[in-house]
Amino acid sequence: MSRPVVFSGIQPTGSIHIGNYFGAIKQWVAGQDDAENIFCLVNMHALTVPQDPDVLRDQTLKLAMLLLAAGIDQTKSRLFVQSHVREHGELSWYLSCTASMGQMQRMTQYKEKSEAQRGEARVGLFTYPILMAADILLYRTTHVPVGDDQKQHVELARDLAQRFNATYGDVFVVPEPAIPKAGARIMGLDDPTKKMSKSAAGSYHAVGVLDSPEQIKKAVMSAQTDSGREVRADPARPGITNLLAIYAAATGVTIEAAEAHFANARGYGDVKKELVEILVETLRPLRERYAELSADPATVTELLKQGADAVRPIARATVDNVKRAMGAL
Ligand code: AMP
Ligand code: TRP
């Protein structure tokens, strides 16, 4: 058996929060020794909604710094920018000629996002999951670590790969989603019924991974909870359930263990205070390493170039196989 290939992508937009960190980045870092790892800054996905060009460029470099600060190690993993490897756009076209409209119209994230944008939603937003499938399939990926909101998109990549193989012969490796158990879905602190998201407004909505201890404290202490006291995960009490989920994700324990840990808490205030300390300590090394890297952007730029140079031949070989299979080469 050949080594597993892990691929994941993250958009260089908005500020990275603890949902991204526990739901995605932390798992990437932890799994680095067990597989070939390819991590992609998906700036072409970011363009599915309007972006300021200078801001996008800047955020792409900053996100690279953040991932390196979080522990992505270039001796074990490849880190690169999506648009630096033109095969992503190329494969996306061929796949779009195999995907059906019906299949795409079932994508729930598009439905949600496009409703908010009314008639202004871009075609790229609709075909976004095809570009994501291209990202994954280019590298003979076996495992795709993502939060559960992305699971449907990974299923689409599987479906497209299977259908392509059945029609044109075995070209693609069929990938599997790898959904983390704890922290799979961190909710907003201001509204625990909504997913913590990069784009949601409100200063107490999220904890950013680069937030200062004071900012973390303010956001966590003002987190919305109900008027109860008992520290137990319960769908009817989403606020405390979310705090327990964050605690579990940050300390690497189960929700049950988190409940047991707080069995003697006098109320939600105790949970919040301890959670502040844990988050401040968990994020401290990341914040410090990020400050060092930001002082040396040229090195990070060079690293991204090396990452793209290293993965490009794999991507090229896949696209050529696809073109040959389809009769375009
Ligand atoms: P995005 O912020 O949508 O670009 O997501 C980047 C990565 O973080 C993806 O793997 C998402 O599934 C994951 N993610 C985003 N928001 C959350 C959240 N609130 N809880 C857990 N994982 C998340
Ligand atoms: N769509 C993903 C998100 O918004 C990002 C992404 C793009 C991705 N390509 C990917 C994730 C490939 C995993 C694999 O979070």
Side-chain angles (χ1 to χ4, degrees), residues 215-286:
Q215 286 170 308
I216 295 174
K217 186 170 178 193
K218 280 202 187 109
V220 172
M221 296 313 289
S222 61
Q224 195 201 323
T225 42
D226 59 81
S227 58
R229 305 175 60 93
E230 199 194 346
V231 182
R232 194 162 47 78
D234 173 354
R237 298 185 300 157
I240 188 65
T241 303
N242 190 35
L243 297 183
L244 284 167
I246 298 172
Y247 178 88
T251 56
V253 302
T254 61
I255 298 280
E256 292 73 31
E259 286 175 333
H261 176 83
F262 289 112
N264 298 321
R266 280 159 308 171
Y268 297 161
D270 284 0
V271 179
K272 288 181 175 179
K273 277 193 206 120
E274 194 169 336
L275 191 55
V276 170
E277 276 169 40
I278 288 188
L279 287 176
V280 168
E281 286 317 310
T282 308
L283 300 174
R284 182 190 306 280
L286 202 155

Side-chain angles (χ1 to χ4, degrees), residues 31-283:
Q32 283 185 109
D33 289 321
D34 310 329
E36 304 284 336
N37 306 279
I38 306 179
F39 301 119
C40 183
L41 308 176
V42 293
N43 56 348
M44 290 160 71
H45 277 105
L47 288 167
T48 57
V49 295
Q51 301 289 345
D52 178 290
D54 289 326
V55 173
L56 180 60
R57 238 185 310 271
D58 186 56
Q59 297 251 39
T60 306
L61 189 62
K62 285 191 169 144
L63 181 56
M65 290 169 181
L66 195 146
L67 292 178
L68 294 167
I72 296 296
D73 176 345
Q74 67 274 26
T75 65
K76 298 177 184 167
S77 303
R78 302 298 180 191
L79 177 67
F80 74 104
V81 178
Q82 189 180 32
S83 65
H84 293 182
V85 178
R86 61 167 66 102
E87 282 76 4
H88 289 254
E90 200 178 351
L91 180 57
S92 186
W93 175 259
Y94 293 106
L95 289 177
S96 74
C97 295
T98 70
S100 71
M101 288 299 286
Q103 203 172 16
M104 299 307 297
Q105 277 157 350
R106 286 193 289 277
M107 297 292 115
T108 56
Q109 194 178 67
Y110 171 75
K111 284 187 216 164
E112 285 162 23
K113 288 196 181 175
S114 62
E115 255 162 47
Q117 297 178 45
R118 316 219 164 221
E120 291 305 308
R122 308 292 152 92
V123 174
L125 190 66
F126 183 65
T127 56
Y128 166 126
I130 299 179
L131 178 60
M132 178 163 162
D135 299 342
I136 296 167
L137 298 178
L138 276 174
Y139 302 102
R140 313 187 61 75
T141 302
T142 56
H143 295 87
V144 188
V146 282
D148 69 356
D149 61 312
Q150 293 298 320
K151 197 171 165 204
Q152 195 187 29
H153 294 160
V154 181
E155 297 294 346
L156 177 81
R158 280 176 67 84
D159 291 346
L160 292 179
Q162 277 162 343
R163 188 190 308 172
F164 191 99
N165 288 349
T167 311
Y168 298 106
D170 254 344
V171 169
F172 291 127
V173 171
V174 180
E176 310 247 355
I179 312 289
K181 282 179 196 68
R185 200 175 168 87
I186 305 290
M187 311 305 280
L189 294 175
D190 56 343
D191 177 358
T193 64
K194 296 215 169 70
K195 193 184 83 149
M196 187 176 283
S197 109
K198 286 175 185 163
S199 46
S203 47
Y204 299 145
H205 168 73
V207 172
V209 293
L210 298 174
D211 281 359
S212 66
E214 294 70 38
Q215 286 170 308
I216 295 174
K217 186 170 178 193
K218 280 202 187 109
V220 172
M221 296 313 289
S222 61
Q224 195 201 323
T225 42
D226 59 81
S227 58
R229 305 175 60 93
E230 199 194 346
V231 182
R232 194 162 47 78
D234 173 354
R237 298 185 300 157
I240 188 65
T241 303
N242 190 35
L243 297 183
L244 284 167
I246 298 172
Y247 178 88
T251 56
V253 302
T254 61
I255 298 280
E256 292 73 31
E259 286 175 333
H261 176 83
F262 289 112
N264 298 321
R266 280 159 308 171
Y268 297 161
D270 284 0
V271 179
K272 288 181 175 179
K273 277 193 206 120
E274 194 169 336
L275 191 55
V276 170
E277 276 169 40
I278 288 188
L279 287 176
V280 168
E281 286 317 310
T282 308
L283 300 174

